[in-house]
């Protein structure tokens, strides 16, 4: 059997820097066989934690997507409680209308936030020779890395650490994911 000269590179992407998600990211990034795999961890949050600092201090390459992205300023600073709007729409027009509202809101978020992140992730994937993208964000929040992996023609794993109702727009991205990992008790 011919052995590969360099290890496969895995890009772990997370929007959380604390709690159980960060423990899983840390264990996966450190626990792989270094002869076969090399981990790169991309944080899409400015939040600090002990595990994040520990990864930063290790030999594992870490990338701060939140600092690199200009997309953080695109959302208005005053947030409208969309759940109340969704509930009002549901009460007046029904569940399907509410679902459509949330799908359109997700589409807006994708166009104005995720598209910028996709360009950044494409550069990271090319520059680091990434062979697999492992998003630790569900379909709702992991669209940018899922789509970037699909564009580059590399496999993508979507690790769902929480359960969340998916919108119609979220469900479009199911076909771009090669494998799903779900939490269980």
């Amino acid at each position: 059997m011919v052995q590969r000269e360099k290890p496969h590179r895995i890009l772990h992407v997370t929007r959380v820097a604390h709690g159980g998600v960060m423990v899983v990211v840390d264990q996966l990034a450190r626990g792989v066989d270094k002869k076969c795999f090399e981990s790169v961890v991309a944080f899409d949050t400015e939040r600090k934690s002990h595990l994040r600092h520990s990864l930063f201090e290790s030999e594992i390459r870490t990338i701060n997507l939140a600092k690199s992205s200009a997309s953080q300023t695109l959302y208005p600073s005053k947030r409208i409680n969309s759940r109340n709007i969704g509930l009002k729409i549901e009460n007046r027009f029904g569940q399907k209308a509410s679902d459509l509202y949330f799908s359109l809101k997700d589409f807006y978020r994708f166009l104005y936030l995720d598209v910028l992140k996709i360009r950044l992730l494409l550069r990271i994937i090319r520059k680091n020779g990434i062979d697999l993208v492992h998003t630790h964000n569900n379909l709702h929040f992991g669209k940018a890395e899922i789509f970037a992996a699909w564009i580059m023609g590399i496999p993508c794993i979507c690790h769902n650490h929480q359960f969340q109702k998916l919108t119609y727009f979220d469900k479009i991205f199911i076909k771009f994911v090669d494998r799903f990992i779900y939490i269980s008790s």
Side-chain angles (χ1 to χ4, degrees):
M1 185 167 142
V2 179
Q3 190 167 349
R4 185 179 158 118
E5 292 178 20
K6 62 180 186 162
H8 294 280
R9 290 195 172 163
I10 303 169
L11 175 64
H12 295 274
V13 182
T14 182
R15 286 175 175 74
V16 179
H18 62 284
V21 174
M22 191 57 221
V23 170
V24 170
V25 171
D26 183 66
Q27 289 178 349
L28 287 173
R30 292 177 194 273
V32 296
D33 181 356
K34 304 286 190 257
K35 294 175 193 158
C36 299
F37 302 100
E38 183 180 333
S39 295
V40 177
V41 180
F43 291 95
D44 196 9
T45 179
E46 288 290 337
R47 193 158 187 187
K48 305 290 184 216
S49 74
H50 170 70
L51 285 173
R52 181 177 180 165
H53 179 74
S54 175
L55 270 175
F56 179 74
E57 294 292 321
S58 73
E59 75 283 354
I60 297 170
R61 179 162 164 66
T62 60
I63 300 167
N64 188 353
L65 291 176
K67 196 176 239 181
S68 305
S69 177
S71 64
Q72 301 300 321
T73 59
L74 290 176
Y75 259 150
S77 58
K78 184 179 178 186
R79 301 234 176 198
I80 300 170
N81 190 345
S82 63
R83 291 196 194 281
N84 290 345
I85 294 171
L87 186 59
K88 288 178 184 177
I89 291 171
E90 182 179 342
N91 289 338
R92 176 99 190 229
F93 302 106
Q95 181 66 44
K96 288 197 183 241
S98 177
D99 291 345
L100 181 60
Y101 163 74
F102 285 112
S103 289
L104 290 172
K105 186 174 182 240
D106 287 346
F107 181 66
Y108 169 83
R109 184 182 188 282
F110 180 77
L111 287 178
Y112 289 100
L113 289 177
D114 290 341
V115 168
L116 292 173
K117 289 217 189 312
I118 290 168
R119 291 184 63 203
L120 176 61
L121 286 162
L122 289 172
R123 271 188 263 128
I124 290 169
I125 290 168
R126 280 188 202 110
K127 180 180 176 186
N128 292 286
I130 300 298
D131 299 303
L132 171 79
V133 173
H134 186 154
T135 178
H136 294 270
N137 308 300
N138 58 23
L139 279 171
H140 187 70
F141 293 108
K143 292 180 190 88
E145 51 267 27
I146 291 167
F147 201 63
W150 179 75
I151 289 171
M152 294 299 293
I154 59 175
C156 180
I157 296 172
C158 184
H159 199 145
N160 291 284
H161 294 271
Q162 64 184 14
F163 296 106
Q164 183 170 3
K165 184 178 178 187
L166 299 176
T167 65
Y168 297 131
F169 187 65
D170 292 334
K171 292 176 184 177
I172 293 170
F173 289 83
I174 290 172
K175 65 182 175 185
F176 301 126
V177 177
D178 294 282
R179 294 287 183 266
F180 287 92
I181 300 172
Y182 289 92
I183 59 167
S184 64
S185 54

